[in-house]
Amino acid sequence: MILEVKNGCFSYGHREVLKNVSFDLEERKIMTVLGPNGVGKTTLLKLIAGELSLDRDDRRQGAGVTSSRRLTVGMLKQQAFSDREQTVEEILLAACPFRDTFARERFEYEQEYDRIFTGFGFTRADKRKKIGDFSGGEQTKIALIRLLLEKPDILLLDEPTNHLDIATIQWLEQYLKRYEHAVVLVSHDRFFLDQVAETVVEVSDGKLTRYAGNYSQYRE
């Protein structure tokens, strides 16, 4: 267990979205969050990301969210980059924690950067283009590439297969299966969920119900 939520509640105004929910995240496990639109799936991701805080609850002991260590959390968002003049290479190399261009770790990072970038259907020549030259969907793909390169302890993906073709989705499936940390995702792509999900959490009427297995096993 790397993160645990106990008896968590969250409300928007007078609307109670989550009611005393409890769950935990495990290292190297992929959890998907399911439920109709508006039930609180994205809210749950934002709570894990620390963008939202649980409501105060006098019945609960402690803050309600505990972690086994200091965690890095990365969340994919549908976004536009603020500096449209930056090249893709500048954006992706800025995520590299190794500043020494001659370090072995830097070389390995650049190798992985190439592998992921081409795996998403881009060419090596695309790295020299300005981010403003790409469509909104392509920019979201580049944001996902940057997030994968950062390798956060908890990777949060909201509809990650949007804007991806079949070959790229298959590439992402294999990448996530090998990912070394925890993954939480929201997706309406049932085939994708069958390939990657190991645990399903259903959100319904403010409550969470956990099921082992992928989407088809959850449906059964």
Side-chain angles (χ1 to χ4, degrees), residues 34-95:
L34 294 181
N37 290 337
V39 297
K41 301 187 300 294
T42 301
T43 296
L44 195 61
L45 295 189
K46 289 182 176 180
L47 286 167
I48 296 171
E51 294 183 9
L52 299 174
S53 299
L54 294 174
D55 295 343
R56 181 175 177 178
D57 188 341
D58 293 334
R59 296 170 296 174
R60 184 179 64 228
Q61 298 295 317
V65 181
T66 57
S67 60
S68 59
R69 63 178 187 276
R70 188 178 182 86
L71 299 171
T72 55
V73 182
M75 184 171 178
L76 176 64
K77 301 175 182 178
Q78 309 297 315
Q79 65 183 59
F81 291 88
S82 56
D83 186 354
R84 296 175 59 83
E85 293 301 306
Q86 276 191 304
T87 66
V88 173
E89 188 155 58
E90 289 171 336
I91 290 168
L92 296 183
L93 287 181

Side-chain angles (χ1 to χ4, degrees), residues 10-215:
F10 184 82
S11 302
Y12 283 112
H14 296 293
R15 177 175 169 249
E16 196 172 18
V17 180
L18 299 174
K19 308 172 185 177
N20 294 106
V21 301
S22 297
F23 66 95
D24 59 72
L25 301 181
E26 299 178 54
E27 199 87 65
R28 300 181 67 92
K29 292 291 185 180
I30 302 175
M31 183 178 88
T32 186
V33 183
L34 294 181
N37 290 337
V39 297
K41 301 187 300 294
T42 301
T43 296
L44 195 61
L45 295 189
K46 289 182 176 180
L47 286 167
I48 296 171
E51 294 183 9
L52 299 174
S53 299
L54 294 174
D55 295 343
R56 181 175 177 178
D57 188 341
D58 293 334
R59 296 170 296 174
R60 184 179 64 228
Q61 298 295 317
V65 181
T66 57
S67 60
S68 59
R69 63 178 187 276
R70 188 178 182 86
L71 299 171
T72 55
V73 182
M75 184 171 178
L76 176 64
K77 301 175 182 178
Q78 309 297 315
Q79 65 183 59
F81 291 88
S82 56
D83 186 354
R84 296 175 59 83
E85 293 301 306
Q86 276 191 304
T87 66
V88 173
E89 188 155 58
E90 289 171 336
I91 290 168
L92 296 183
L93 287 181
C96 178
F98 310 105
R99 303 267 69 98
D100 183 355
T101 56
F102 297 102
R104 176 179 57 82
E105 293 87 354
R106 172 82 172 204
F107 175 72
E108 291 173 351
Y109 176 93
E110 292 184 11
Q111 279 191 315
E112 182 166 22
Y113 152 38
D114 272 341
R115 180 171 63 86
I116 295 177
F117 192 67
T118 55
F120 271 76
F122 294 104
T123 68
R124 287 184 169 83
D126 288 332
K127 295 188 293 185
R128 294 186 290 275
K129 292 182 180 178
K130 295 177 181 179
I131 192 67
D133 294 335
F134 293 92
S135 69
E138 289 171 330
Q139 289 188 35
T140 299
K141 289 169 67 173
I142 293 167
L144 176 54
I145 292 168
R146 181 173 63 178
L147 189 57
L148 296 180
L149 286 168
E150 291 171 352
K151 290 185 171 63
D153 296 315
I154 301 176
L155 179 62
L156 304 175
L157 303 178
D158 195 349
E159 299 295 350
T161 60
N162 284 0
H163 312 295
L164 302 184
D165 58 27
I166 293 175
T168 308
I169 291 172
Q170 291 173 340
W171 185 95
L172 181 61
E173 290 168 359
Q174 296 307 311
Y175 184 90
L176 293 179
K177 288 176 183 179
R178 298 189 302 269
Y179 193 68
E180 297 178 352
H181 305 298
V183 180
V184 183
L185 59 91
V186 172
S187 177
H188 289 91
D189 187 334
R190 298 177 179 184
F191 182 79
F192 174 69
L193 295 180
D194 266 348
Q195 299 305 305
V196 301
E198 297 171 286
T199 303
V200 171
V201 169
E202 180 187 57
V203 186
S204 179
D205 193 29
K207 300 291 186 181
L208 303 185
T209 306
R210 187 169 185 147
Y211 300 85
N214 61 19
Y215 180 81

